[in-house]
Amino acid sequence: MENQVRERSGYVAIAGLANSGKSALINALSGRNISPSHIHKGTTRIPISSIYMTENDQVCFIDTPPLDFYEDEKLFNSVDAICLTLNTTEFSKQLKSGVLQGFVNRIRTIPIIFVPTFIDYFPSELHSAFVNQISMLVNYQEIVPVCAPTGQGIKRLRKVLVEYIPESGRLFPDGCTSLHSERFLVSEQIRISLFSVLPSEIAATTAVQIEEFSIRDEKRYVRANLHVARHSNKGVVIGRKGTMLQNIADIASDGASRMIERPLYLDLWVKVREAWPENIDDLTEFGYVC
Ligand SMILES: Nc1nc2c(ncn2[C@@H]2O[C@H](COP(=O)(O)OP(=O)(O)OP(=O)(O)O)[C@@H](O)[C@H]2O)c(=O)[nH]1
Ligand SMILES: [Mg+2]
């Protein structure tokens, strides 16, 4: 009898405290630079998805904002498995964190895979000590230590996660890379570029709002406003003779055109929306609150 190939398709959420390597992990697991990853705490503000596909398996990974600030219980209870990242450079503090323990206690029906991150800070002999400590404290499903930026442990983690995905027909069409619109993904690419060139406190308080998303001369044309939270930040984002803004546009259009596989022209404007991160109407307008 012929061996039937089993197809799996489903969802894995990535949860964890601020700066525990969630976004670096989704980028490594899905093989694409989709979610801004930066040392600033709270870089991820909205869940973002990235789909990994092989001939037989499809996994939609969902990166989430840090549990310290936000927990979308509905989302975490609707996935097939959760990767819970634990920054090993703050290992004891994170393990004892009330936020983390509360999360593990609340999520009772979804398998949790513990993922100690930043293991490149420690010699390999110590990695099993992290595994032992976690397994003494919680009723765990699996523990897979990783270093997302170098790719260490990523193959093994993918293999482990796929086992938690149910057998089913393919949920996502071939070639589909994310559940988000191209427009949203381009705005996140612009955010990634802000973090790579601006001081992090300015990048983190600059909202990207796309005003026009059209096709012109067979190119994707994107006009976007960068809303800074202070008047004094405007000059920094523009830079001397516009060099900083040009730099942001170059990095963002390079990343975005690779992502959407089409040439892209990016027209960026800097506006001031004084103290927007403290204003609920502004947060809603910029898509950070539903
Ligand atoms: N050395 C090392 N750096 C890492 C590792 N994982 C992530 N980083 C870096 O740590 C910083 C924070 O990583 P993120 O992926 O943004 O962390 P996060 O959990 O998504 O952060 P928030 O969205 O703010 O909650 C970034 O500069 C990453 O490049 C790792 O395993 N080793
Ligand atoms: Mg993040």
Side-chain angles (χ1 to χ4, degrees):
M1 216 173 76
E2 237 182 89
N3 260 350
Q4 266 231 312
V5 182
R6 295 186 304 179
E7 286 195 335
R8 294 171 190 267
S9 194
Y11 298 85
V12 172
I14 302 174
L17 296 176
N19 245 344
S20 56
K22 301 177 293 298
S23 302
L25 186 62
I26 195 176
N27 294 339
L29 282 168
S30 64
R32 84 179 56 87
N33 194 17
I34 199 159
S35 187
S37 164
H38 193 270
I39 200 75
H40 175 84
K41 283 193 177 182
T43 304
T44 307
R45 288 174 165 259
I46 321 175
I48 178 164
S49 62
S50 190
I51 301 170
Y52 172 78
M53 277 191 204
T54 65
E55 206 182 322
N56 303 317
D57 307 316
Q58 298 187 316
V59 187
C60 177
F61 293 108
I62 305 166
D63 182 19
T64 63
L67 291 172
D68 333 39
F69 307 144
Y70 160 99
E71 182 183 326
D72 186 341
E73 244 180 82
K74 222 164 148 194
L75 187 154
F76 290 123
N77 279 303
S78 62
V79 293
D80 301 302
I82 296 170
C83 272
L84 185 59
T85 51
L86 272 169
N87 184 335
T88 50
T89 65
E90 303 179 341
F91 191 65
S92 306
K93 196 170 136 206
Q94 294 224 337
L95 262 189
K96 287 185 200 140
S97 138
V99 173
L100 213 81
Q101 288 184 0
F103 177 76
V104 174
N105 288 334
R106 270 191 303 281
I107 306 288
R108 294 210 165 267
T109 53
I110 310 293
I112 294 181
I113 291 86
F114 279 79
V115 182
T117 52
F118 291 78
I119 55 159
D120 49 316
Y121 277 77
F122 304 93
S124 52
E125 308 85 80
L126 268 185
H127 298 175
S128 54
F130 293 125
V131 175
N132 291 340
Q133 279 199 53
I134 297 171
S135 56
M136 278 193 297
L137 279 178
V138 287
N139 188 7
Y140 69 98
Q141 302 282 341
E142 306 261 3
I143 303 170
V144 186
V146 303
C147 168
T150 62
Q152 192 181 353
I154 295 297
K155 253 191 183 166
R156 183 169 161 238
L157 179 58
R158 260 198 223 117
K159 202 161 167 243
V160 165
L161 291 171
V162 164
E163 294 299 314
Y164 289 92
I165 300 294
E167 284 178 37
S168 92
R170 290 168 85 77
L171 296 174
F172 314 105
D174 282 344
C176 177
T177 54
S178 173
L179 300 179
H180 294 284
S181 65
E182 216 171 68
R183 188 184 174 117
F184 173 79
L185 295 175
V186 168
S187 73
E188 284 297 275
Q189 287 299 313
I190 300 172
R191 253 176 28 92
I192 290 179
S193 67
L194 299 179
F195 281 98
S196 60
V197 290
L198 290 172
S200 60
E201 65 282 4
I202 297 184
T205 53
T206 301
V208 178
Q209 191 180 40
I210 293 188
E211 292 270 300
E212 185 179 339
F213 199 73
S214 56
I215 301 287
R216 289 191 190 179
D217 302 328
E218 297 183 14
K219 268 189 178 180
R220 170 63 73 197
Y221 173 81
V222 180
R223 183 159 50 82
N225 291 332
L226 305 180
H227 293 280
V228 293
R230 281 172 176 211
H231 207 275
S232 56
N233 292 350
K234 186 172 177 179
V236 181
V237 176
I238 295 173
R240 215 164 156 258
K241 294 187 178 164
T243 46
M244 179 61 88
L245 195 58
Q246 189 56 51
N247 202 2
I248 293 168
D250 289 345
I251 299 171
S253 31
D254 187 45
S257 57
R258 251 185 288 124
M259 170 159 297
I260 64 176
E261 294 174 353
R262 181 198 274 273
L264 176 141
Y265 179 76
L266 192 52
D267 191 5
L268 292 180
W269 295 83
V270 185
K271 310 229 161 170
V272 182
R273 186 79 65 95
E274 206 62 51
W276 70 261
E278 283 130 52
N279 184 329
I280 190 73
D281 290 340
D282 291 336
L283 288 166
T284 310
E285 184 185 334
F286 297 151
Y288 292 132
V289 183
C290 297

